[in-house]
Amino acid sequence: MRLSSAHARKAMSLLPPLALDPGTLLPCVLVVEEHDEMRSALRDWLLTSFPPLKLREARSMEEALALAGQAPLDLILVNLELPGPNGIEAARALRRRHPRLRIVVMSVNDSMALRIAALEAGAEAFVSKRDLRIALHPIVATLLKQRD
């Protein structure tokens, strides 16, 4: 089951923005999502909920690895369902190359086995896309506040 961009935007718009310390460098977040509508909804929500913010986007593990190697990132939100290697493999590869990077895996599929696999691959958290409205905001806020 895919969330439409309208549903994703509506669900995410109910959350308050995060207040960041004005003396810190802008946090940089990479969204790894194959579907244009969902990537757009995540982009809009992140830029509204966590201003100011640098945002980068990728559609696959290969693009994510290339972008992660170009500039420092604070957080990666990666969809489990990607073309080619999935989000768990992407998390594992990103963690190997960038051990301090914060990673959150997202998926419409939710099971204890997927959650465990994501955490074992190096993700900080696993979020069901059905629970984005409730679960993602506090996770992103916490991870961005904990950045060095």
Side-chain angles (χ1 to χ4, degrees):
M1 175 178 142
R2 284 185 41 205
L3 294 175
S4 71
S5 60
H7 284 104
R9 281 189 183 92
K10 182 178 179 188
M12 292 180 188
S13 69
L14 301 174
L15 298 167
L18 174 70
L20 294 174
D21 179 358
T24 62
L25 295 174
L26 293 181
C28 189
V29 176
L30 173 61
V31 174
V32 187
E33 169 65 58
E34 172 188 23
H35 299 102
D36 293 338
E37 301 87 15
M38 188 64 190
R39 200 173 52 259
S40 176
L42 283 166
R43 175 190 330 114
D44 293 348
W45 175 75
L46 285 163
L47 292 172
T48 302
S49 299
F50 301 96
L53 180 76
K54 290 182 195 173
L55 188 67
R56 305 189 78 157
E57 299 177 26
R59 292 178 174 87
S60 68
M61 181 179 89
E62 292 79 15
E63 287 182 22
L65 289 169
L67 288 171
Q70 291 175 3
L73 297 169
D74 295 299
L75 174 65
I76 293 185
L77 302 175
V78 60
N79 183 28
L80 177 69
E81 296 83 12
L82 294 174
N86 68 28
I88 291 172
E89 291 304 315
R92 185 173 288 113
L94 287 159
R95 175 65 65 217
R96 254 192 317 266
R97 292 187 190 183
H98 308 280
R100 300 189 72 196
L101 191 58
R102 313 305 279 243
I103 303 167
V104 175
V105 175
M106 308 171 294
S107 178
V108 293
N109 299 305
D110 187 4
S111 71
M112 188 55 71
L114 288 175
R115 288 176 179 271
I116 291 169
L119 296 176
E120 287 177 348
E124 303 280 334
F126 178 98
V127 177
S128 168
K129 285 187 176 177
R130 293 178 184 100
D131 298 330
L132 282 178
R133 179 178 64 85
I134 298 164
L136 193 56
H137 191 277
I139 291 169
V140 172
T142 299
L143 294 176
L144 288 178
K145 284 182 181 180
Q146 290 175 350
R147 69 191 183 95
D148 293 338

